[in-house]
């Protein structure tokens, strides 16, 4: 993910409400589970997607922490 894409994603995440962030996190965790399942079955072609989803989850959690302050 390019820097400009990351900044854009963070801007979009900061615009979401706490409930929407929680929903987004749950969706990403489900996607991560599915990707791990595909990787274990040997069907995952783009293995970089795993790291990208993990980092996006971390970004969502960071924005949630900012909202809690």
């Amino acid at each position: 993910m390019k820097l400009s894409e990351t900044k854009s994603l963070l801007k979009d995440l900061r615009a979401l409400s706490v409930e929407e962030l929680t929903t987004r996190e749950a969706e990403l965790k489900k996607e991560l589970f599915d990707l791990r399942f595909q990787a274990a079955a040997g069907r995952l072609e783009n293995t970089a997607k795993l790291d990208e989803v993990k980092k996006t989850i971390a970004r969502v959690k960071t924005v949630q922490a900012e909202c809690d302050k």
Side-chain angles (χ1 to χ4, degrees):
M1 184 176 278
K2 296 181 181 179
L3 182 61
S4 60
E5 293 172 355
T6 302
K7 287 182 178 182
S8 171
L9 174 66
L10 285 173
K11 183 179 178 183
D12 294 341
L13 289 175
R14 288 188 175 111
L16 298 176
S17 68
V18 176
E19 294 83 17
E20 291 170 327
L21 286 170
T22 305
T23 303
R24 177 83 172 143
E25 181 185 2
E27 292 169 354
L28 288 167
K29 285 185 177 183
K30 182 182 181 328
E31 181 179 355
L32 180 61
F33 176 80
D34 292 340
L35 289 171
R36 284 181 175 160
F37 192 85
Q38 289 176 9
R43 297 183 315 171
L44 185 61
E45 294 179 14
N46 184 4
T47 56
K49 184 74 173 163
L50 280 168
D51 289 336
E52 185 178 321
V53 172
K54 286 180 192 178
K55 289 178 183 180
T56 305
I57 291 171
R59 289 181 181 110
V60 169
K61 288 185 175 194
T62 299
V63 173
Q64 284 176 329
E66 290 173 357
C67 292
D68 291 341
K69 289 184 179 180

